[in-house]
Amino acid sequence: MTEHAVVIAGGGPAGLMLAGELALAAVDVVIVERRVSQDVDGSRAGGLHSRTIEVLDQRGIADRFLVEGQAMQVQGFAGIPLDISDFPTRHNYGLALWQSHFERILADWVGELGVPILRGCEVVGFAQDDIGIDVELSGDTSLRAEYLVGCDGGRSLIRKAAGIDFVGLDPSTSWMIAEVEMDEQPELGMRPEGGGIGPVNRVEGGGPFRVVLKEQQVEHTSEPTLHDLREALVVAYGTDYGVHSPNWISRFTDMARQAATYRHGRVLLAGDAAHVHPPQGGQGLNTGVQDAVNLGWKLAQVVNRTSPESLLDTYDAERHPVGARVLHNTMAQVALSSPDDRHQALRDTMTELLSMDEPRRRIAAMLSGLDIHYDLGAGHPLVGRRMPDLDLHTADGPTRVFTLLHDARPVLLSLGAPCGFDISPWANRVRLVDAKHDGVWELPVLGEIAAPPALLIRPDGHVAWAGDLTDPELPQALATWFGAATPAH
Ligand SMILES: Cc1cc2nc3c(=O)[nH]c(=O)nc-3n(C[C@H](O)[C@H](O)[C@H](O)COP(=O)(O)OP(=O)(O)OC[C@H]3O[C@@H](n4cnc5c(N)ncnc54)[C@H](O)[C@@H]3O)c2cc1C
């Protein structure tokens, strides 16, 4: 039986990102993927939010995505546009880039990092014991691993087989989604009840078109057909625009469910396997990629034996509330999209509110993922928040904070006068960088904050500790997050 440290079930956005993170930490990881190629049915997710672009920037790969997409103000709450161009980030925009392209670019990176992908192969079951997990694959083969991560989408077999409840709301509305050609020019744009028609190629326009239409019924026993789509177009627009040549027809609902826990022993969940919700606000792919970036370095440290297994509990503690918040805001967006007069009045009120600065900043920071604050205890306002990508001056020349994170290793950043802090007990894990930064420190929503003299930055870009290097709590923070001090040789 082949052995790996980690088996990832599913090579979609979450699985690929996690594999990349683990490979950077030299973990022996393999992806098992049901699809025979990286091709995605239809275009699915339409883009990346600011924080996702930032996490890709933290690994030095954001440009690969930026050159293929269009940077634009993509954000909206139930379709009410929210501009983030005044946000304090280098990426004060979203990126319009279909999921098919996102996955292709990410898979290339994972390939460069040498991660094997077993394509055309499914995880069909597993059995965990005290020291590992047997992962059964289709074709009567199996793998042995220390951990199995279910990145296998909303219908996750891993979640079900682990007996993890999927708690939440049943669907109240079903939507048909398709990519089609049309003989006549359709009416483009959003519909009052949500959905609508738009060109698949957002720059050049024209066909093929992406159609999203609310259906009359919630329950369905079979996949939608071109005939169903024609009928739905006639109900919505009075014509089917001569629709033909579907590239893809599917449906989605406003079901909102979340795994009761993201970990059961040696089994972990990330991405849609851990949370499904309606696509309003375009947060699914983004949340899954950021789950993976939170989990990757922790799992790497556990399998590399630098941290105890209990570090994995912080994954659920930090990411479950983030997922719950996403479900919550998508439920509100669905309600706001109801076409009846009372909901439309509520929508007008929200539109007015979101035209004001403070509400816009708060809601936009939530949707873009820039306001995520893990509860790591009291202290400097940066603790638990994302580290801004400051310009730095170091003895080796100018650099940026995100550049220091490219290898996914933690950084102790000292911005004050050198104080002789002894990093040697952690030097094989944590890099101490002396640097200077001129300029104000500004966070989304919070605004300007006082500059701390030093910070401990986790590989996911969140600040674990901030203060003076003489702070007696610093050695404890280093040990909590990056393992016990190693005695000097
Ligand atoms: C119409 C639509 C529009 C959307 N729009 C947006 C948007 O604008 N922005 C956004 O962020 N998100 C959006 N989403 C959501 C987004 O597509 C998902 O959140 C995202 O794909 C989740 O990634 P994932 O890796 O968790 O799961 P998936 O992409 O579902 O990947 C799971 C992978 O696991 C594989 N798999 C499944 N079972 C097994 C098994 N047993 N063994 C091996 N492999 C297995 C599958 O083949 C698949 O490749 C949209 C979704 C839809 C349907």
Side-chain angles (χ1 to χ4, degrees):
M1 189 187 298
T2 315
E3 291 195 21
H4 296 276
V6 178
V7 172
I8 297 174
L16 290 170
M17 192 71 213
L18 179 62
E21 295 291 290
L22 291 168
L24 282 174
V27 171
D28 174 11
V29 54
V30 63
I31 297 177
V32 180
E33 168 54 52
R34 175 191 285 158
R35 285 179 282 162
V36 292
S37 77
Q38 202 62 51
D39 293 347
V40 177
D41 269 351
S43 39
R44 292 190 80 184
L48 305 182
H49 284 306
S50 173
R51 180 59 188 156
T52 308
I53 305 171
E54 282 196 346
V55 302
L56 298 168
D57 202 359
Q58 287 177 178
R59 298 297 176 259
I61 56 172
D63 287 347
R64 301 179 184 205
F65 299 88
L66 293 174
V67 294
E68 291 213 28
Q70 290 97 43
M72 54 198 334
Q73 295 303 323
V74 292
Q75 238 170 222
F77 188 76
I80 304 165
L82 299 169
D83 193 306
I84 62 165
S85 53
D86 60 340
F87 274 27
T89 162
R90 287 181 208 274
H91 305 293
N92 52 0
Y93 48 79
L95 187 71
L97 178 73
W98 294 117
Q99 182 166 342
S100 43
H101 299 300
F102 177 77
E103 287 198 20
R104 171 177 45 79
I105 302 166
L106 199 59
D108 284 349
W109 175 62
V110 168
E112 287 163 24
L113 293 170
V115 177
I117 304 184
L118 305 182
R119 293 195 184 277
C121 184
E122 279 183 44
V123 173
V124 295
F126 58 82
Q128 48 177 326
D129 54 51
D130 287 348
I131 53 167
I133 183 161
D134 290 324
V135 183
E136 281 175 60
L137 307 185
S138 50
D140 252 356
T141 52
S142 61
L143 299 170
R144 175 81 179 163
E146 289 180 49
Y147 289 91
L148 168 66
V149 188
C151 296
D152 52 340
R155 298 191 175 120
S156 173
L157 174 138
I158 309 299
R159 183 189 67 235
K160 290 174 193 158
I164 298 174
D165 282 347
F166 209 32
V167 187
L169 295 182
D170 286 332
S172 71
T173 310
S174 176
W175 303 80
M176 204 180 300
I177 179 164
E179 276 176 26
V180 289
E181 297 287 355
M182 288 175 161
D183 286 335
E184 297 158 32
Q185 174 63 33
E187 180 186 327
L188 300 181
M190 294 274 292
R191 294 191 54 77
E193 72 277 17
I197 304 178
V200 171
N201 188 325
R202 289 173 281 202
V203 178
E204 289 174 15
F209 296 98
R210 177 154 138 141
V211 182
V212 177
L213 288 177
K214 188 170 177 174
E215 297 188 280
Q216 305 293 312
Q217 289 174 328
V218 180
E219 302 291 337
H220 298 272
T221 50
S222 57
E223 287 299 305
T225 62
L226 186 57
H227 176 74
D228 297 330
L229 182 66
R230 278 201 183 105
E231 283 190 350
L233 279 164
V234 171
V235 169
Y237 295 94
T239 168
D240 66 11
Y241 296 115
V243 63
H244 63 93
S245 309
N247 177 21
W248 180 67
I249 306 180
S250 187
R251 58 168 50 99
F252 65 89
T253 71
D254 61 352
M255 178 169 76
R257 291 189 176 275
Q258 188 176 23
T261 174
Y262 286 11
R263 178 180 175 211
H264 177 68
R266 298 184 170 276
V267 177
L268 294 130
L269 301 176
D272 277 17
H275 39 72
V276 295
H277 51 79
Q280 273 84 348
Q283 301 163 89
L285 178 149
N286 290 270
T287 308
V289 167
Q290 290 170 43
D291 287 345
V293 174
N294 183 287
L295 175 60
W297 64 276
K298 295 173 180 173
L299 188 53
Q301 287 182 189
V302 171
V303 301
N304 288 336
R305 310 278 182 267
T306 51
S307 288
E309 222 193 340
S310 57
L311 183 66
L312 293 177
D313 294 332
T314 69
Y315 168 59
D316 179 77
E318 293 175 4
R319 292 303 298 176
H320 197 280
V322 171
R325 199 158 170 239
V326 171
L327 259 67
H328 192 256
N329 84 52
T330 55
M331 281 152 55
Q333 293 187 66
V334 168
L336 267 191
S337 303
S338 299
D340 63 279
D341 289 348
R342 290 186 174 88
H343 281 95
Q344 285 308 304
L346 183 58
R347 187 185 171 79
D348 292 344
T349 310
M350 274 301 287
T351 306
E352 195 177 333
L353 261 178
L354 289 175
S355 71
M356 299 173 194
D357 238 21
E358 180 70 14
R360 170 189 62 88
R361 273 205 297 266
R362 282 186 183 242
I363 300 294
M366 173 179 70
L367 294 174
S368 61
L370 289 170
D371 75 339
I372 291 171
H373 181 202
Y374 300 138
D375 182 7
L376 307 187
H380 189 278
L382 264 170
V383 172
R385 290 195 161 85
R386 83 188 229 298
M387 177 68 190
D389 185 22
L390 306 176
D391 286 312
L392 300 173
H393 308 282
T394 70
D396 298 329
T399 188
R400 307 196 266 133
V401 168
F402 285 5
T403 306
L404 299 175
L405 295 171
H406 281 185
D407 58 2
R409 288 184 58 198
V411 173
L412 180 57
L413 182 62
S414 170
L415 297 161
C419 85
F421 179 78
D422 181 14
I423 191 69
S424 60
W426 291 275
N428 57 348
R429 285 155 278 164
V430 182
R431 183 149 56 121
L432 174 60
V433 176
D434 283 303
K436 293 269 173 291
H437 168 70
D438 308 318
V440 292
W441 291 52
E442 199 184 347
L443 291 185
V445 184
L446 288 192
E448 279 188 34
I449 52 163
L455 306 110
L456 184 57
I457 309 167
R458 311 190 317 187
D460 59 2
H462 281 256
V463 175
W465 164 94
D468 201 292
L469 287 176
T470 56
D471 179 358
E473 288 184 15
L474 174 57
Q476 184 53 51
L478 282 159
T480 299
W481 293 108
F482 309 115
T486 313
H489 291 292

